[in-house]
Amino acid sequence: MKTYNHHFFCTICGKEGIPVNRQEYRLREPGHLKKLYCLNCKREVNHAECIEGSKYDQAIFRLEFESGNFDSGGIRITPLEQWIKSLNSNEVPDELELTVEEWLEFFDKK
Ligand SMILES: [Zn+2]
């Protein structure tokens, strides 16, 4: 099985969170939010899961974070799929214009 390089980024401050032990954590959909302790915020806040090589990597998190799609509680304002669609297509590489189903297919390839 392929090992995915995944990172969690705090939706409040945007900094990278503490790595999650893979054995304790099942792979979820790209962009999944998970409550983790943030060293910077010094409390448990939502972190977005970024997986390099998936459709939700660090660059997309950065774009979503900077567009203000997380509220002060770290909750996603617009659902990820809609947020992607709402982006100006000029800003989004063609490869990102995928449905959630297509994203999930990515993870079926073991
Ligand atoms: Zn933080």
Side-chain angles (χ1 to χ4, degrees), residues 79-95:
L80 185 59
E81 190 184 0
Q82 281 177 37
W83 175 80
I84 295 275
K85 283 179 185 163
S86 74
L87 284 173
N88 186 321
S89 58
N90 293 333
E91 297 171 21
V92 183
D94 289 344
E95 66 192 52

Side-chain angles (χ1 to χ4, degrees), residues 7-12 25-26 28-36 45-50 56 61 64-65 69-71 73-80:
H7 303 271
F8 289 85
F9 286 86
C10 176
T11 57
I12 304 291
Y25 183 65
R26 270 178 64 96
R28 303 290 289 271
E29 71 274 18
H32 173 72
L33 296 181
K34 182 177 172 62
K35 265 217 151 120
L36 295 169
V45 290
N46 274 339
H47 285 62
E49 180 173 18
C50 301
Y56 194 90
F61 167 73
E64 187 179 15
F65 182 73
N69 199 34
F70 298 105
D71 71 11
I75 306 296
R76 191 169 262 134
I77 295 164
T78 305
L80 185 59

